[in-house]
Amino acid sequence: MSHKESPLNPLKAQEESLSQVYEGLKSLNLNLDITRGKPCSDQLDLSVELDGILAGNYTSRQGIDCRNYGGLDGLQEAREIGSWLLDAPTEEIIVGSNSSLTFMYQYISQAHHHGLEGDHSAWNQLEGGVRFLCPTPGYDRHFSICEHLGIEMIPVGMTGTGPDMDQIEALLQADPSIRGLWCVPKYSNPTGDIYSDETIQRIANLGKLAASDFRIFWDNAYSVHDLTDQPANIADIRHLSLQAGTESNLVQFASTSKITFAGAGISFLSSTKENLKIFTDHLSYRSIGPDKVNQLRHARFFTQQQQLTSHMKKHAAIIKPKFTRVLELLDSELGDQTGSTWTRPEGGYFISFNTRPGLAKEVVKLCAEAGVKLTPAGASFPYGKDPKNSNIRLAPTLPTIDELDQAIRVFVVCVKLATARSSH
Ligand SMILES: Cc1ncc(COP(=O)(O)O)c(C=O)c1O
């Protein structure tokens, strides 16, 4: 057979047929967005009773008229919701307005500008600056806070049961400038990791290796966001820290953003009473008090922990089929054909997908050109830099199942096409 007549190399033929499928998808002019982990409208509808629940009664259990100024620490009955989410007594919880991220930013900003142990300890005054340990892939907005304040980030790997503790302990021992560790202990964003008991025990001991103003930023954003009937119970970090004598190194965060209204929920910060006092002293310069009307609405909506638990089951009933659809499509359309891997989360908001090294940016670009917007590749890494260029965060909750189906079908074609193109 002459060279001219030789059949196409099978890989090339596969690539050409994938290109044709891809061009066909492009011509559909899709406009789908699976970028951010937002609840869908059906989820938000679960909490519409918040609207009007006060029925003109603005008085808290302690007789406070919630429409007025004051109450920087938050309402007692709203703190009870925080104590269910963070397993801490109400005296160790303050309640804020609609975003726990604001609390995180304010805490770090205070440490940065004023210090946690008096002005002499301000992080921005320390020679050589301070560093944070950042389990990756992780939550992009944690990393943006550090970047915004000029705090250097040190990436640490995730293991499937939380961050790599050998690496963390070694880094802390070697570098006294480390002042923070980001943790999303249950259904980590985006890997879905559930921290094991051993990981949590080792995290509770970290205060013994670190500077006294080192803080573990325990962002328990998904503590009740289970997708299974037998959800994991993670170890009690506060209790373990008390046993280790490291409780002042722990600051916990949560919110009702993905329980009630993402943009109009309430947030919680928990730490020792001493830490809370220092924090609220600073907070008093920024605000006369949080939105207590919304705190009261939430407290009237969830009067018992059981109501919260059954409310979260309703969320799961809406979003679990979406996760299932994505996983079914990835399994059936990709299987192990492309060398890609993905997580099977038991809760939370994300599926973490890894292409073969070097392909994530290309996949995201191909998807965008075919009308499917994904989170930018690298977003889950400090400085937006995924050293392997392989991680893509999929967020199934916001689109309808049909939109999701379409988007993931485009996604798998893009993964196959990028993989085929890179294989020769
Ligand atoms: C890990 C994590 N923490 C915090 C947040 C934001 O929380 P909030 O709405 O309370 O600011 C998110 C939102 O996606 C998240 O994934």
Side-chain angles (χ1 to χ4, degrees):
M1 211 187 272
S2 75
H3 177 69
K4 249 188 165 173
E5 289 159 353
S6 71
L8 270 181
N9 142 353
L11 282 176
K12 196 75 196 147
Q14 191 197 23
E15 184 191 325
E16 285 200 357
S17 90
L18 282 166
S19 291
Q20 275 171 17
V21 176
Y22 176 68
E23 290 307 319
L25 289 171
K26 257 169 113 175
S27 66
L28 298 176
N29 290 324
L30 297 173
N31 183 14
L32 300 164
D33 185 339
I34 52 170
T35 48
R36 290 221 79 89
K38 290 183 187 174
C40 63
S41 300
D42 288 348
Q43 289 179 272
L44 299 171
D45 284 345
L46 297 174
S47 304
V48 285
E49 273 173 45
L50 282 170
D51 198 8
I53 198 166
L54 298 184
N57 177 358
Y58 295 96
T59 310
S60 79
R61 234 163 37 199
Q62 291 173 317
I64 298 163
D65 183 339
C66 293
R67 295 169 298 184
N68 224 324
Y69 273 140
L72 204 55
D73 298 346
L75 293 183
Q76 176 62 24
E77 50 264 65
R79 284 195 225 171
E80 280 166 21
I81 300 174
S83 82
W84 304 333
L85 297 175
L86 292 173
D87 248 335
T90 53
E91 320 79 85
E92 291 182 18
I93 290 177
I94 60 171
V95 192
S97 293
N98 73 334
S99 163
S100 60
L101 196 70
T102 304
F103 265 157
M104 296 175 221
Y105 182 85
Q106 286 171 337
Y107 197 93
I108 297 174
S109 161
Q110 178 203 319
H112 192 68
H113 296 290
H114 301 283
L116 299 173
E117 300 172 338
D119 281 351
H120 68 280
S121 68
W123 291 350
N124 67 358
Q125 298 297 311
L126 298 182
E127 211 176 318
V130 301
R131 287 172 189 78
F132 265 46
L133 299 173
C134 300
T136 55
Y139 180 38
D140 52 349
R141 290 181 187 267
H142 288 163
F143 304 154
S144 325
I145 293 177
C146 288
E147 200 170 350
H148 185 59
L149 292 171
I151 294 172
E152 191 182 322
M153 291 177 270
I154 308 175
V156 173
M158 291 292 281
T159 62
T161 55
D164 180 337
M165 292 309 298
D166 289 344
Q167 211 186 342
I168 286 181
E169 286 159 1
L171 284 161
L172 259 183
Q173 262 156 342
D175 185 349
S177 74
I178 294 172
R179 288 296 189 284
L181 165 66
W182 286 113
C183 293
V184 183
K186 199 170 161 193
Y187 313 134
S188 237
N189 175 351
T191 60
D193 277 34
I194 302 168
Y195 288 18
S196 67
D197 291 353
E198 190 207 329
T199 300
I200 297 180
Q201 176 66 68
R202 288 171 77 176
I203 292 175
N205 285 335
L206 290 178
K208 295 180 192 167
L209 307 176
S212 56
D213 56 347
F214 165 77
R215 292 290 181 269
I216 293 153
F217 292 88
W218 195 256
D219 178 4
N220 214 343
Y222 300 108
S223 65
V224 289
H225 302 62
D226 311 304
L227 289 173
T228 66
D229 292 335
Q230 261 107 34
N233 256 331
I234 60 165
D236 180 347
I237 181 90
R238 176 180 166 276
H239 180 70
L240 295 173
S241 302
L242 282 166
Q243 278 181 342
T246 55
E247 64 275 15
S248 65
N249 300 109
L250 178 68
V251 198
Q252 302 193 67
F253 303 89
S255 75
T256 63
S257 290
K258 282 158 185 164
I259 297 175
T260 57
F261 294 158
I266 59 176
S267 56
F268 310 94
L269 182 152
S270 173
S271 194
T272 61
K273 285 190 210 157
E274 296 72 26
N275 281 349
L276 289 187
K277 166 136 191 9
I278 297 168
F279 180 68
T280 47
D281 280 352
H282 280 277
L283 204 56
S284 66
Y285 291 95
R286 301 174 198 229
S287 171
I288 305 171
D291 177 351
K292 295 185 298 303
V293 172
N294 199 26
Q295 293 187 8
L296 189 63
R297 294 196 311 155
H298 279 76
R300 298 246 175 99
F301 190 54
F302 295 123
T303 56
Q304 310 277 329
Q305 189 167 4
Q306 185 48 43
Q307 289 171 308
L308 175 69
T309 311
S310 49
H311 186 80
M312 293 316 292
K313 290 212 164 97
K314 294 182 198 161
H315 276 284
I318 296 169
I319 63 176
K320 191 169 175 186
K322 298 186 179 184
F323 279 81
T324 305
R325 178 64 64 92
V326 174
L327 292 171
E328 278 168 2
L329 282 172
L330 295 178
D331 289 345
S332 63
E333 300 296 316
L334 289 179
D336 50 14
Q337 285 173 46
T338 58
S340 310
T341 57
W342 52 90
T343 55
R344 297 180 173 279
E346 290 172 30
Y349 264 57
F350 304 101
I351 291 171
S352 183
F353 186 95
N354 286 307
T355 65
R356 266 195 216 160
L359 299 184
K361 280 194 180 142
E362 178 62 12
V363 170
V364 172
K365 184 164 156 265
L366 287 170
C367 281
E369 284 165 8
V372 175
K373 231 189 253 170
L374 298 174
T375 313
S380 303
F381 290 76
Y383 310 106
K385 287 189 192 138
D386 172 2
K388 291 194 186 139
N389 184 19
S390 99
N391 187 257
I392 297 172
R393 186 181 81 171
L394 301 176
T397 54
L398 184 66
T400 63
I401 293 231
D402 285 348
E403 286 166 345
L404 198 57
D405 191 285
Q406 276 188 309
I408 298 300
R409 285 180 193 280
V410 172
F411 176 72
V412 293
V413 169
C414 296
V415 172
K416 286 186 196 171
L417 183 58
T419 309
R421 284 181 179 166
S422 72
S423 301
H424 54 82

